[in-house]
Each structure stands twice: as C-alpha cells, then as structure tokens.
Amino acid sequence: DQQVKQNSPSLSVQEGRISILNCDYTNSMFDYFLWYKKYPAEGPTFLISISSIKDKNEDGRFTVFLNKSAKHLSLHIVPSQPGDSAVYFCAAVNDYKLSFGAGTTVTVRA
Amino acid sequence: NAGVTQTPKFQVLKTGQSMTLQCAQDMNHEYMSWYRQDPGMGLRLIHYSVGAGITDQGEVPNGYNVSRSTTEDFPLRLLSAAPSQTSVYFCASSFTSSDTQYFGPGTRLTVL
C-alpha cells in the first residue's frame, strides 16, 4: 500500500516551457518532503526539499509547493532544459523512514 | 571523498545462494539505508540504521539482514536468494533521515 503516489508515469515538455510534476500522499504524519532526480544506471540525486511547516521552497529553476490540506505536493521546473530529462521521485519522511513514489519520467523535447 | 560506494555493480545468483552487498560511505553520516527499485514501484526501504549498532526494518525487510558495526559500513545480506529478489539495490547515507540522502550507484542483482 503505497503512501506516496505519483500518478503520472511520464511527462513530455518542450524545451523552455514549464514542467509540473505532481505527488500525492496519504500519511498525515509525514513531516518532510523531497524530490530526487535519477538518470539511467545511476543512483538518485537530491533536487529540492520542503518541510511540512512551509508551503513553498525555491531553488533556482526548481520550486516545490506543498498543500497539506490536500496532501499534495508539486515540483515546477522553469524553464525546462534537455538535461532535465530523467526520472523524478517524490519522497516523504516519517519516523526515520523515507517513502518514495513510483517516479515520473520527464522528457524535454528540443 | 568517494561518497557512497557499492559493490558489486552486477551479480547473478542461483536460487538459494547467499551473498552480501557491500556499502560504504566516507562522509561520517549516521543514517544509512538500503532500498530496492523495481519497475512501477519506485524505491522501497529494506532496512535502515540511525547509527553504529542500531538497525531497524523498513517496508520490505523479509529475506534480508543488515548489521552496522562501524559508522562507515552497512552491508546487506541475502540469506537464501529468491527470484523475487531480482532488483536494483541502492544504498544511501545522510546525517539524519530528514537530511539530503546521498545514494550509491546501485547493484543490479539477478536471481535465477
């Protein structure tokens, strides 16, 4: 029973446009949320995070939004670049444990 | 710094064999964890450790053992390999569970 869900397995976006990745969770005890990026044959790398006491965190082209009442978070990438083509995982932390979503594969078209 | 290293990169086992996946980090991180990645499932936590001598179960611990005798090393043991354990295994470390986790490059395991 997955507590973190990424319902869109893939996303295709044109270079320069905005990519919006969505994530829903069911456990209200999650207190920290992270996004990871993964290229083939490599381990995931950290992208951006947000504490449950905030609703927005921005880092360069990446912004994460958290809506606690809806148990929903999203990652915005603006502008999208070819190097952003990867799998993106949403993750949530509770009681020393991380729960990951299934991932969204982003393809940035030239 | 080498970061998080994992060995081997690839492994093929027969059903019933045992083996140990090695994981080491040189960042003095207290928190270490093991995940498996399967298609459509994301990464699932197998076991984790909040410090030397302390380990606990994650979401999918059955069939796996861990120990943490030093801060640097966190090996994962498969006691009797089964085809259902065919997967890509990632080790990760961080200062705490809420900090950025640094992942190793992964071990691709096939059990025949």
Side-chain angles (χ1 to χ4, degrees):
Chain A
D1 182 29
Q2 279 199 297
Q3 299 184 69
V4 178
K5 296 180 182 178
Q6 294 176 256
N7 292 320
S8 297
S10 63
L11 172 70
S12 180
V13 63
Q14 194 160 14
E15 182 178 359
R17 304 296 289 267
I18 184 171
S19 294
I20 300 176
L21 290 79
N22 294 303
C23 178
D24 296 297
Y25 61 95
T26 56
N27 187 347
S28 57
M29 299 301 291
F30 287 138
D31 53 13
Y32 202 73
F33 302 89
L34 309 97
W35 285 93
Y36 283 85
K37 177 179 176 179
K38 186 182 181 302
Y39 294 117
E42 294 183 10
T45 54
F46 170 77
L47 201 54
I48 193 169
S49 62
I50 188 167
S51 166
S52 60
I53 62 173
K54 296 188 174 181
D55 55 20
K56 178 182 174 182
N57 188 28
E58 197 170 347
D59 183 2
R61 297 186 297 116
F62 303 94
T63 303
V64 56
F65 295 93
L66 176 62
N67 183 334
K68 283 188 67 177
S69 61
K71 293 193 179 69
H72 177 84
L73 65 157
S74 61
L75 173 69
H76 292 207
I77 306 173
V78 182
S80 299
Q81 299 175 352
D84 296 332
S85 294
V87 179
Y88 291 77
F89 291 100
C90 169
V93 180
N94 173 48
D95 193 23
Y96 304 110
K97 301 176 189 176
L98 255 73
S99 298
F100 281 82
T104 297
T105 300
V106 172
T107 304
V108 180
R109 309 185 311 271
Chain B
N1 283 356
V4 179
T5 57
Q6 290 183 239
T7 55
K9 284 192 179 351
F10 301 95
Q11 183 71 49
V12 178
L13 293 177
K14 293 181 180 177
T15 296
Q17 286 185 312
S18 62
M19 81 158 293
T20 299
L21 279 63
Q22 302 291 344
C23 174
Q25 53 90 11
D26 60 359
M27 296 174 281
N28 204 30
H29 286 163
E30 292 293 330
Y31 186 87
M32 295 186 74
S33 52
W34 276 102
Y35 298 88
R36 58 178 289 174
Q37 184 191 9
D38 301 294
M41 302 289 290
L43 285 82
R44 291 182 292 169
L45 181 65
I46 304 171
H47 285 285
Y48 66 98
S49 168
V50 298
I54 306 169
T55 64
D56 207 344
Q57 296 180 352
E59 183 184 351
V60 288
N62 292 342
Y64 307 95
N65 269 0
V66 291
S67 59
R68 185 95 180 271
S69 54
T70 67
T71 299
E72 293 78 21
D73 300 296
F74 191 42
L76 178 72
R77 280 182 288 278
L78 279 71
L79 309 172
S80 176
S84 61
Q85 294 178 304
T86 293
S87 187
V88 181
Y89 291 84
F90 290 101
C91 177
S93 76
S94 58
F95 286 110
T96 72
S97 60
S98 295
D99 286 315
T100 300
Q101 291 212 9
Y102 294 86
F103 283 81
T107 295
R108 184 172 293 274
L109 176 68
T110 301
V111 183
L112 302 175

Short mmCIF file of all heavy atoms in Angstrom, two decimals, chain B residues 8-56:
data_model
loop_
_atom_site.label_atom_id
_atom_site.label_comp_id
_atom_site.label_asym_id
_atom_site.label_seq_id
_atom_site.Cartn_x
_atom_site.Cartn_y
_atom_site.Cartn_z
N PRO B 8 29.02 -5.54 -5.34
CA PRO B 8 29.45 -5.35 -6.74
C PRO B 8 28.46 -4.47 -7.51
O PRO B 8 27.42 -4.11 -6.98
CB PRO B 8 29.43 -6.78 -7.27
CG PRO B 8 28.31 -7.43 -6.52
CD PRO B 8 28.34 -6.82 -5.14
N LYS B 9 28.75 -4.15 -8.74
CA LYS B 9 27.82 -3.42 -9.60
C LYS B 9 26.76 -4.35 -10.17
O LYS B 9 25.61 -3.96 -10.37
CB LYS B 9 28.56 -2.74 -10.74
CG LYS B 9 29.32 -1.49 -10.36
CD LYS B 9 29.75 -0.77 -11.62
CE LYS B 9 30.49 0.51 -11.45
NZ LYS B 9 30.65 1.18 -10.26
N PHE B 10 27.17 -5.57 -10.50
CA PHE B 10 26.26 -6.57 -11.07
C PHE B 10 26.51 -7.90 -10.36
O PHE B 10 27.64 -8.19 -9.97
CB PHE B 10 26.51 -6.76 -12.58
CG PHE B 10 26.34 -5.52 -13.39
CD1 PHE B 10 27.43 -4.73 -13.70
CD2 PHE B 10 25.10 -5.15 -13.86
CE1 PHE B 10 27.28 -3.58 -14.46
CE2 PHE B 10 24.93 -4.01 -14.62
CZ PHE B 10 26.04 -3.22 -14.92
N GLN B 11 25.45 -8.68 -10.21
CA GLN B 11 25.60 -10.00 -9.61
C GLN B 11 24.49 -10.90 -10.11
O GLN B 11 23.32 -10.47 -10.18
CB GLN B 11 25.55 -9.91 -8.08
CG GLN B 11 25.75 -11.23 -7.36
CD GLN B 11 27.19 -11.73 -7.46
OE1 GLN B 11 28.14 -10.98 -7.21
NE2 GLN B 11 27.33 -12.97 -7.85
N VAL B 12 24.85 -12.14 -10.44
CA VAL B 12 23.86 -13.16 -10.79
C VAL B 12 23.98 -14.27 -9.77
O VAL B 12 25.09 -14.78 -9.53
CB VAL B 12 24.08 -13.70 -12.22
CG1 VAL B 12 23.05 -14.79 -12.53
CG2 VAL B 12 23.99 -12.58 -13.25
N LEU B 13 22.87 -14.65 -9.18
CA LEU B 13 22.84 -15.72 -8.19
C LEU B 13 21.88 -16.81 -8.62
O LEU B 13 20.94 -16.55 -9.39
CB LEU B 13 22.38 -15.20 -6.82
CG LEU B 13 23.25 -14.22 -6.05
CD1 LEU B 13 22.54 -13.80 -4.78
CD2 LEU B 13 24.59 -14.86 -5.72
N LYS B 14 22.07 -17.98 -8.08
CA LYS B 14 21.08 -19.05 -8.24
C LYS B 14 20.18 -19.05 -7.01
O LYS B 14 20.61 -18.66 -5.91
CB LYS B 14 21.78 -20.39 -8.39
CG LYS B 14 22.58 -20.52 -9.68
CD LYS B 14 23.22 -21.90 -9.78
CE LYS B 14 24.02 -22.01 -11.08
NZ LYS B 14 24.71 -23.31 -11.18
N THR B 15 18.97 -19.50 -7.20
CA THR B 15 18.04 -19.59 -6.09
C THR B 15 18.67 -20.39 -4.95
O THR B 15 19.23 -21.47 -5.16
CB THR B 15 16.74 -20.29 -6.54
OG1 THR B 15 16.11 -19.46 -7.53
CG2 THR B 15 15.78 -20.47 -5.39
N GLY B 16 18.56 -19.83 -3.73
CA GLY B 16 19.08 -20.49 -2.55
C GLY B 16 20.48 -20.05 -2.14
O GLY B 16 20.89 -20.29 -1.00
N GLN B 17 21.20 -19.39 -3.05
CA GLN B 17 22.53 -18.91 -2.68
C GLN B 17 22.42 -17.70 -1.77
O GLN B 17 21.39 -17.00 -1.75
CB GLN B 17 23.32 -18.52 -3.94
CG GLN B 17 23.80 -19.71 -4.75
CD GLN B 17 24.69 -19.28 -5.92
OE1 GLN B 17 24.36 -18.37 -6.68
NE2 GLN B 17 25.82 -19.96 -6.06
N SER B 18 23.47 -17.47 -1.01
CA SER B 18 23.52 -16.29 -0.15
C SER B 18 24.62 -15.36 -0.64
O SER B 18 25.56 -15.81 -1.33
CB SER B 18 23.77 -16.68 1.30
OG SER B 18 25.03 -17.31 1.41
N MET B 19 24.48 -14.11 -0.34
CA MET B 19 25.54 -13.17 -0.68
C MET B 19 25.37 -11.88 0.13
O MET B 19 24.32 -11.66 0.74
CB MET B 19 25.55 -12.84 -2.17
CG MET B 19 24.54 -11.81 -2.61
SD MET B 19 25.01 -11.02 -4.16
CE MET B 19 26.47 -10.11 -3.67
N THR B 20 26.42 -11.08 0.13
CA THR B 20 26.40 -9.80 0.83
C THR B 20 26.68 -8.67 -0.15
O THR B 20 27.67 -8.73 -0.90
CB THR B 20 27.46 -9.77 1.95
OG1 THR B 20 27.17 -10.81 2.91
CG2 THR B 20 27.46 -8.42 2.65
N LEU B 21 25.81 -7.68 -0.14
CA LEU B 21 26.02 -6.46 -0.91
C LEU B 21 26.71 -5.47 0.02
O LEU B 21 26.24 -5.22 1.13
CB LEU B 21 24.70 -5.87 -1.40
CG LEU B 21 24.07 -6.46 -2.66
CD1 LEU B 21 23.69 -7.92 -2.45
CD2 LEU B 21 22.84 -5.65 -3.06
N GLN B 22 27.82 -4.93 -0.47
CA GLN B 22 28.59 -4.02 0.37
C GLN B 22 28.22 -2.57 0.11
O GLN B 22 27.89 -2.18 -1.01
CB GLN B 22 30.10 -4.21 0.11
CG GLN B 22 30.63 -5.60 0.35
CD GLN B 22 30.62 -5.99 1.82
OE1 GLN B 22 30.50 -5.15 2.71
NE2 GLN B 22 30.75 -7.30 2.08
N CYS B 23 28.25 -1.79 1.18
CA CYS B 23 28.00 -0.35 1.09
C CYS B 23 28.92 0.36 2.07
O CYS B 23 29.02 -0.06 3.24
CB CYS B 23 26.55 -0.02 1.41
SG CYS B 23 26.22 1.76 1.48
N ALA B 24 29.58 1.40 1.61
CA ALA B 24 30.46 2.18 2.47
C ALA B 24 30.33 3.66 2.13
O ALA B 24 30.09 4.02 0.98
CB ALA B 24 31.91 1.73 2.30
N GLN B 25 30.47 4.49 3.17
CA GLN B 25 30.46 5.94 2.96
C GLN B 25 31.56 6.58 3.79
O GLN B 25 31.89 6.09 4.87
CB GLN B 25 29.07 6.53 3.30
CG GLN B 25 28.52 6.19 4.66
CD GLN B 25 28.87 7.15 5.78
OE1 GLN B 25 29.41 8.24 5.52
NE2 GLN B 25 28.57 6.77 7.00
N ASP B 26 32.10 7.67 3.28
CA ASP B 26 33.21 8.33 3.95
C ASP B 26 32.85 9.75 4.36
O ASP B 26 33.72 10.63 4.46
CB ASP B 26 34.45 8.32 3.04
CG ASP B 26 34.23 9.04 1.71
OD1 ASP B 26 33.10 9.54 1.48
OD2 ASP B 26 35.18 9.09 0.91
N MET B 27 31.56 10.00 4.59
CA MET B 27 31.11 11.34 4.93
C MET B 27 30.72 11.45 6.41
O MET B 27 30.14 12.45 6.82
CB MET B 27 29.90 11.69 4.04
CG MET B 27 30.27 11.75 2.57
SD MET B 27 28.87 11.98 1.45
CE MET B 27 28.22 10.31 1.40
N ASN B 28 31.01 10.41 7.17
CA ASN B 28 30.70 10.40 8.60
C ASN B 28 29.20 10.55 8.88
O ASN B 28 28.80 11.17 9.86
CB ASN B 28 31.49 11.49 9.34
CG ASN B 28 31.67 11.16 10.81
OD1 ASN B 28 31.74 9.99 11.19
ND2 ASN B 28 31.73 12.18 11.64
N HIS B 29 28.40 9.97 7.98
CA HIS B 29 26.96 10.04 8.14
C HIS B 29 26.48 9.00 9.14
O HIS B 29 26.94 7.86 9.13
CB HIS B 29 26.26 9.79 6.80
CG HIS B 29 26.37 10.95 5.87
ND1 HIS B 29 26.11 10.84 4.50
CD2 HIS B 29 26.67 12.25 6.08
CE1 HIS B 29 26.25 12.01 3.93
NE2 HIS B 29 26.60 12.89 4.87
N GLU B 30 25.54 9.41 10.00
CA GLU B 30 24.98 8.48 10.97
C GLU B 30 23.90 7.60 10.35
O GLU B 30 23.75 6.44 10.68
CB GLU B 30 24.39 9.25 12.15
CG GLU B 30 25.42 9.96 13.03
CD GLU B 30 26.31 8.98 13.76
OE1 GLU B 30 25.85 7.86 14.08
OE2 GLU B 30 27.48 9.32 14.03
N TYR B 31 23.11 8.17 9.45
CA TYR B 31 21.96 7.46 8.89
C TYR B 31 22.34 6.76 7.59
O TYR B 31 22.89 7.40 6.68
CB TYR B 31 20.82 8.45 8.64
CG TYR B 31 19.52 7.82 8.20
CD1 TYR B 31 18.59 7.36 9.12
CD2 TYR B 31 19.21 7.69 6.84
CE1 TYR B 31 17.39 6.78 8.72
CE2 TYR B 31 18.02 7.12 6.43
CZ TYR B 31 17.11 6.67 7.38
OH TYR B 31 15.92 6.10 6.97
N MET B 32 22.07 5.47 7.53
CA MET B 32 22.30 4.72 6.29
C MET B 32 21.09 3.83 6.03
O MET B 32 20.40 3.42 6.98
CB MET B 32 23.57 3.87 6.38
CG MET B 32 24.84 4.71 6.50
SD MET B 32 26.36 3.74 6.41
CE MET B 32 26.43 3.33 4.65
N SER B 33 20.86 3.55 4.77
CA SER B 33 19.66 2.78 4.42
C SER B 33 19.88 2.01 3.14
O SER B 33 20.76 2.33 2.34
CB SER B 33 18.46 3.73 4.28
OG SER B 33 18.76 4.79 3.40
N TRP B 34 19.06 0.98 2.97
CA TRP B 34 19.05 0.17 1.75
C TRP B 34 17.66 0.22 1.14
O TRP B 34 16.64 0.09 1.85
CB TRP B 34 19.39 -1.29 2.07
CG TRP B 34 20.85 -1.58 2.16
CD1 TRP B 34 21.60 -1.72 3.28
CD2 TRP B 34 21.73 -1.78 1.05
NE1 TRP B 34 22.90 -1.99 2.94
CE2 TRP B 34 23.01 -2.04 1.58
CE3 TRP B 34 21.57 -1.78 -0.34
CZ2 TRP B 34 24.13 -2.29 0.78
CZ3 TRP B 34 22.67 -2.04 -1.14
CH2 TRP B 34 23.93 -2.28 -0.58
N TYR B 35 17.64 0.37 -0.19
CA TYR B 35 16.40 0.38 -0.96
C TYR B 35 16.52 -0.62 -2.10
O TYR B 35 17.61 -0.91 -2.58
CB TYR B 35 16.14 1.75 -1.57
CG TYR B 35 15.98 2.87 -0.58
CD1 TYR B 35 17.08 3.57 -0.11
CD2 TYR B 35 14.72 3.24 -0.12
CE1 TYR B 35 16.94 4.60 0.80
CE2 TYR B 35 14.57 4.28 0.79
CZ TYR B 35 15.69 4.95 1.24
OH TYR B 35 15.54 5.98 2.14
N ARG B 36 15.36 -1.06 -2.55
CA ARG B 36 15.33 -1.79 -3.81
C ARG B 36 14.40 -1.05 -4.77
O ARG B 36 13.39 -0.45 -4.33
CB ARG B 36 14.88 -3.24 -3.63
CG ARG B 36 13.52 -3.45 -2.98
CD ARG B 36 13.18 -4.94 -2.90
NE ARG B 36 12.88 -5.51 -4.21
CZ ARG B 36 12.66 -6.80 -4.44
NH1 ARG B 36 12.71 -7.66 -3.45
NH2 ARG B 36 12.38 -7.23 -5.67
N GLN B 37 14.78 -1.05 -6.03
CA GLN B 37 13.97 -0.38 -7.03
C GLN B 37 13.45 -1.40 -8.02
O GLN B 37 14.24 -2.11 -8.67
CB GLN B 37 14.77 0.69 -7.78
CG GLN B 37 13.90 1.46 -8.76
CD GLN B 37 14.67 2.35 -9.72
OE1 GLN B 37 15.89 2.31 -9.78
NE2 GLN B 37 13.97 3.17 -10.45
N ASP B 38 12.15 -1.45 -8.14
CA ASP B 38 11.50 -2.36 -9.08
C ASP B 38 10.61 -1.55 -10.00
O ASP B 38 10.07 -0.51 -9.61
CB ASP B 38 10.67 -3.40 -8.33
CG ASP B 38 11.51 -4.21 -7.37
OD1 ASP B 38 12.38 -4.96 -7.86
OD2 ASP B 38 11.34 -4.07 -6.14
N PRO B 39 10.42 -2.00 -11.24
CA PRO B 39 9.60 -1.25 -12.20
C PRO B 39 8.22 -0.94 -11.64
O PRO B 39 7.52 -1.82 -11.13
CB PRO B 39 9.53 -2.19 -13.40
CG PRO B 39 10.74 -3.04 -13.29
CD PRO B 39 10.98 -3.23 -11.83
N GLY B 40 7.81 0.33 -11.75
CA GLY B 40 6.48 0.74 -11.31
C GLY B 40 6.31 0.84 -9.80
O GLY B 40 5.21 1.15 -9.32
N MET B 41 7.39 0.59 -9.05
CA MET B 41 7.26 0.58 -7.58
C MET B 41 8.07 1.67 -6.92
O MET B 41 8.01 1.84 -5.72
CB MET B 41 7.73 -0.78 -7.02
CG MET B 41 6.99 -1.97 -7.57
SD MET B 41 5.31 -2.05 -6.97
CE MET B 41 5.58 -2.46 -5.26
N GLY B 42 8.87 2.38 -7.65
CA GLY B 42 9.74 3.36 -7.01
C GLY B 42 10.80 2.67 -6.18
O GLY B 42 11.18 1.52 -6.44
N LEU B 43 11.30 3.35 -5.16
CA LEU B 43 12.29 2.78 -4.26
C LEU B 43 11.58 2.39 -2.96
O LEU B 43 10.83 3.18 -2.39
CB LEU B 43 13.40 3.78 -3.93
CG LEU B 43 14.43 4.03 -5.02
CD1 LEU B 43 13.95 5.02 -6.04
CD2 LEU B 43 15.74 4.53 -4.40
N ARG B 44 11.85 1.18 -2.50
CA ARG B 44 11.23 0.71 -1.27
C ARG B 44 12.31 0.44 -0.24
O ARG B 44 13.32 -0.22 -0.53
CB ARG B 44 10.38 -0.54 -1.53
CG ARG B 44 9.13 -0.26 -2.35
CD ARG B 44 8.30 -1.51 -2.54
NE ARG B 44 8.98 -2.49 -3.38
CZ ARG B 44 8.57 -3.75 -3.53
NH1 ARG B 44 7.51 -4.18 -2.88
NH2 ARG B 44 9.22 -4.57 -4.33
N LEU B 45 12.08 0.92 0.97
CA LEU B 45 13.06 0.82 2.04
C LEU B 45 13.11 -0.60 2.59
O LEU B 45 12.09 -1.17 2.98
CB LEU B 45 12.69 1.81 3.16
CG LEU B 45 13.61 1.88 4.36
CD1 LEU B 45 14.98 2.41 3.96
CD2 LEU B 45 12.99 2.79 5.43
N ILE B 46 14.32 -1.17 2.64
CA ILE B 46 14.50 -2.54 3.13
C ILE B 46 14.86 -2.51 4.62
O ILE B 46 14.15 -3.07 5.46
CB ILE B 46 15.60 -3.27 2.34
CG1 ILE B 46 15.29 -3.26 0.84
CG2 ILE B 46 15.74 -4.72 2.83
CD1 ILE B 46 16.43 -3.78 -0.02
N HIS B 47 15.98 -1.88 4.94
CA HIS B 47 16.44 -1.71 6.31
C HIS B 47 17.13 -0.36 6.42
O HIS B 47 17.59 0.19 5.42
CB HIS B 47 17.46 -2.80 6.70
CG HIS B 47 16.89 -4.14 6.97
ND1 HIS B 47 16.20 -4.45 8.12
CD2 HIS B 47 16.92 -5.28 6.23
CE1 HIS B 47 15.83 -5.73 8.08
NE2 HIS B 47 16.24 -6.25 6.95
N TYR B 48 17.22 0.14 7.64
CA TYR B 48 17.93 1.38 7.84
C TYR B 48 18.65 1.34 9.18
O TYR B 48 18.39 0.47 10.03
CB TYR B 48 17.00 2.60 7.76
CG TYR B 48 15.96 2.67 8.86
CD1 TYR B 48 16.17 3.47 9.99
CD2 TYR B 48 14.77 1.96 8.77
CE1 TYR B 48 15.23 3.54 11.00
CE2 TYR B 48 13.82 2.03 9.77
CZ TYR B 48 14.04 2.83 10.87
OH TYR B 48 13.10 2.90 11.87
N SER B 49 19.57 2.30 9.35
CA SER B 49 20.34 2.39 10.59
C SER B 49 20.54 3.86 10.94
O SER B 49 20.90 4.67 10.08
CB SER B 49 21.71 1.72 10.39
OG SER B 49 22.57 2.02 11.46
N VAL B 50 20.29 4.19 12.20
CA VAL B 50 20.47 5.58 12.63
C VAL B 50 21.83 5.81 13.29
O VAL B 50 22.13 6.92 13.73
CB VAL B 50 19.33 6.03 13.59
CG1 VAL B 50 17.99 5.97 12.87
CG2 VAL B 50 19.33 5.18 14.84
N GLY B 51 22.64 4.75 13.35
CA GLY B 51 23.98 4.87 13.89
C GLY B 51 24.58 3.50 14.10
O GLY B 51 23.87 2.48 14.01
N ALA B 52 25.87 3.47 14.38
CA ALA B 52 26.55 2.19 14.59
C ALA B 52 25.87 1.42 15.71
O ALA B 52 25.57 1.97 16.76
CB ALA B 52 28.02 2.44 14.92
N GLY B 53 25.62 0.14 15.43
CA GLY B 53 25.00 -0.74 16.40
C GLY B 53 23.48 -0.70 16.43
O GLY B 53 22.85 -1.46 17.16
N ILE B 54 22.88 0.17 15.60
CA ILE B 54 21.42 0.33 15.62
C ILE B 54 20.88 0.12 14.21
O ILE B 54 21.25 0.83 13.28
CB ILE B 54 21.01 1.74 16.09
CG1 ILE B 54 21.65 2.06 17.43
CG2 ILE B 54 19.49 1.85 16.17
CD1 ILE B 54 21.52 3.52 17.82
N THR B 55 20.00 -0.87 14.06
CA THR B 55 19.35 -1.10 12.77
C THR B 55 17.86 -1.32 13.00
O THR B 55 17.44 -1.70 14.10
CB THR B 55 19.94 -2.31 12.02
OG1 THR B 55 19.69 -3.50 12.79
CG2 THR B 55 21.43 -2.16 11.80
N ASP B 56 17.09 -1.13 11.95
CA ASP B 56 15.65 -1.36 12.05
C ASP B 56 15.11 -1.70 10.67
O ASP B 56 15.75 -1.46 9.65
CB ASP B 56 14.94 -0.14 12.62
CG ASP B 56 13.64 -0.51 13.34
OD1 ASP B 56 13.15 -1.65 13.14
OD2 ASP B 56 13.13 0.33 14.09
#
